[in-house]
Amino acid sequence: MKTNILFLSLILVPIAFMSFRKNENVKVEKYVSKNKHRYTDGSPTEQTGAPGEQNCTSCHLGTIQDGSSENQLELLDGSTPVLSYLPNSVYSVNLSMNSLPSKKGFQAVALDESNVMAGSFTEVSGNTYISSSGVKEYANHTSISSTNAISTWSWFWTAPSTNVGNVTFYIATNKANDNGGMNGDVIYLSQYTFGSTADLIENKNCKPNLTVGYSSENNNLILNFPSLSKGEILVNLIDLKGKKIFSTNLGKASIGENKHNVLLPETINNGIYIVNLSVNNRVFSAKTMIQ
């Protein structure tokens, strides 16, 4: 009888051990699978939403939102925000999220008008991490800067050595729900375009102003303005109480002098109005009389 019990014990012990190892492996695999998309020190490259690239939803099962209000990017010359770059100069880049989520991440790239890397990035230790894919460089969050303990991501951008025209920063941020999984996050995509200071020198005869006329015969605004880039032309008509009465998109600007006729709705009353016009980050304003 004792011999049978001993024999049975010798059989059950290895089986129990194998069962324990099997369960342990399942737990480890489940843990790895659950966390394999959590990139605490930056994400895989080419996730910015730039032309030809994916965005964070290739890993995070979240929704894509317009990030123009959520993402805030500044290009700084020392402590002064700038809207254009001087070739071969070094600038600080600051990026923040307005909602200041408890868990977050980002990736950024700077491309010229041919979608080629413009200049180069240098990380700020602990705050950002620079990765690369071919000739492109990407600024990313780190494990230290992925919470609201740090409100702003910062890194350095060295502008191209020559004037390459407009440079666009493509930004993807992740407002994470920190549930340890891949679902439920919100991805914000935005872009910011900076012209070259060299353009200002090359186009020094362009006066930085807007002239507005009005044709009562055609009920048209007649707009004349210079532009240093080919960005979208946005026009807003504002009354003297600050209320927006009318807005339109005129398409792409031409480099140099621009002239556009804007047909107004018949419902607009006679009076004095302010015309706000913007091309990329450059804003013009002028008053006009409609009668």
Side-chain angles (χ1 to χ4, degrees), residues 120-141:
S120 61
F121 289 157
T122 304
E123 64 191 41
V124 172
S125 179
N127 188 279
T128 48
Y129 166 71
I130 307 302
S131 58
S132 62
S133 174
V135 297
K136 291 183 181 179
E137 293 183 341
Y138 297 86
N140 303 269
H141 63 276

Side-chain angles (χ1 to χ4, degrees), residues 59-107:
C59 290
H60 298 267
L61 304 181
T63 58
I64 299 177
Q65 301 292 328
D66 178 5
S68 56
S69 296
E70 174 66 19
N71 301 335
Q72 298 296 314
L73 183 137
E74 280 188 322
L75 191 65
L76 302 172
D77 182 2
S79 59
T80 305
V82 296
L83 301 178
S84 57
Y85 67 90
L86 183 66
N88 211 34
S89 297
V90 179
Y91 298 90
S92 298
V93 185
N94 287 344
L95 172 65
S96 59
M97 300 179 69
N98 275 339
S99 62
L100 196 62
S102 59
K103 196 70 175 178
K104 58 185 180 177
F106 89 98
Q107 188 173 90

Side-chain angles (χ1 to χ4, degrees), residues 27-81:
K27 290 179 181 178
V28 170
E29 177 59 29
K30 182 178 180 181
Y31 178 82
V32 171
S33 175
K34 181 180 179 181
N35 290 275
K36 65 181 179 181
H37 291 287
R38 297 184 67 185
Y39 296 96
T40 56
D41 281 311
S43 64
T45 57
E46 302 183 3
Q47 306 296 315
T48 65
E53 294 191 1
Q54 301 183 76
N55 59 70
C56 304
T57 57
S58 63
C59 290
H60 298 267
L61 304 181
T63 58
I64 299 177
Q65 301 292 328
D66 178 5
S68 56
S69 296
E70 174 66 19
N71 301 335
Q72 298 296 314
L73 183 137
E74 280 188 322
L75 191 65
L76 302 172
D77 182 2
S79 59
T80 305

Side-chain angles (χ1 to χ4, degrees), residues 30-262:
K30 182 178 180 181
Y31 178 82
V32 171
S33 175
K34 181 180 179 181
N35 290 275
K36 65 181 179 181
H37 291 287
R38 297 184 67 185
Y39 296 96
T40 56
D41 281 311
S43 64
T45 57
E46 302 183 3
Q47 306 296 315
T48 65
E53 294 191 1
Q54 301 183 76
N55 59 70
C56 304
T57 57
S58 63
C59 290
H60 298 267
L61 304 181
T63 58
I64 299 177
Q65 301 292 328
D66 178 5
S68 56
S69 296
E70 174 66 19
N71 301 335
Q72 298 296 314
L73 183 137
E74 280 188 322
L75 191 65
L76 302 172
D77 182 2
S79 59
T80 305
V82 296
L83 301 178
S84 57
Y85 67 90
L86 183 66
N88 211 34
S89 297
V90 179
Y91 298 90
S92 298
V93 185
N94 287 344
L95 172 65
S96 59
M97 300 179 69
N98 275 339
S99 62
L100 196 62
S102 59
K103 196 70 175 178
K104 58 185 180 177
F106 89 98
Q107 188 173 90
V109 68
L111 305 179
D112 65 16
E113 293 175 329
S114 299
N115 297 323
V116 174
M117 180 69 193
S120 61
F121 289 157
T122 304
E123 64 191 41
V124 172
S125 179
N127 188 279
T128 48
Y129 166 71
I130 307 302
S131 58
S132 62
S133 174
V135 297
K136 291 183 181 179
E137 293 183 341
Y138 297 86
N140 303 269
H141 63 276
T142 67
S143 57
I144 296 174
S145 64
S146 63
T147 70
N148 58 9
I150 293 180
S151 60
T152 302
W153 290 297
S154 301
W155 68 98
F156 296 107
W157 176 59
T158 301
S161 58
T162 60
N163 176 19
V164 297
N166 287 344
V167 171
T168 300
F169 283 71
Y170 293 91
I171 308 295
T173 60
N174 179 9
K175 185 177 182 180
N177 58 12
D178 200 21
N179 67 351
M182 299 179 294
N183 62 329
D185 297 341
V186 182
I187 309 304
Y188 294 94
L189 301 181
S190 58
Q191 50 187 272
Y192 304 84
T193 301
F194 299 91
S196 171
T197 303
D199 287 333
L200 296 175
I201 298 171
E202 294 164 6
N203 296 279
K204 61 183 178 181
N205 293 325
C206 290
K207 296 180 181 180
N209 60 4
L210 165 69
T211 60
V212 180
Y214 174 72
S215 170
S216 58
E217 181 180 355
N218 300 313
N219 193 30
N220 277 350
L221 291 179
I222 304 168
L223 310 180
N224 290 276
F225 61 94
S227 179
L228 304 177
S229 66
K230 297 180 180 180
E232 298 283 339
I233 308 170
L234 303 178
V235 177
N236 290 317
L237 187 67
I238 312 294
D239 67 18
L240 295 182
K241 294 182 180 179
K243 182 180 178 182
K244 182 167 69 174
I245 303 301
F246 170 75
S247 64
T248 187
N249 185 322
L250 300 181
K252 296 285 187 179
S254 300
I255 295 177
E257 293 294 334
N258 288 257
K259 181 177 180 178
H260 290 269
N261 294 329
V262 180

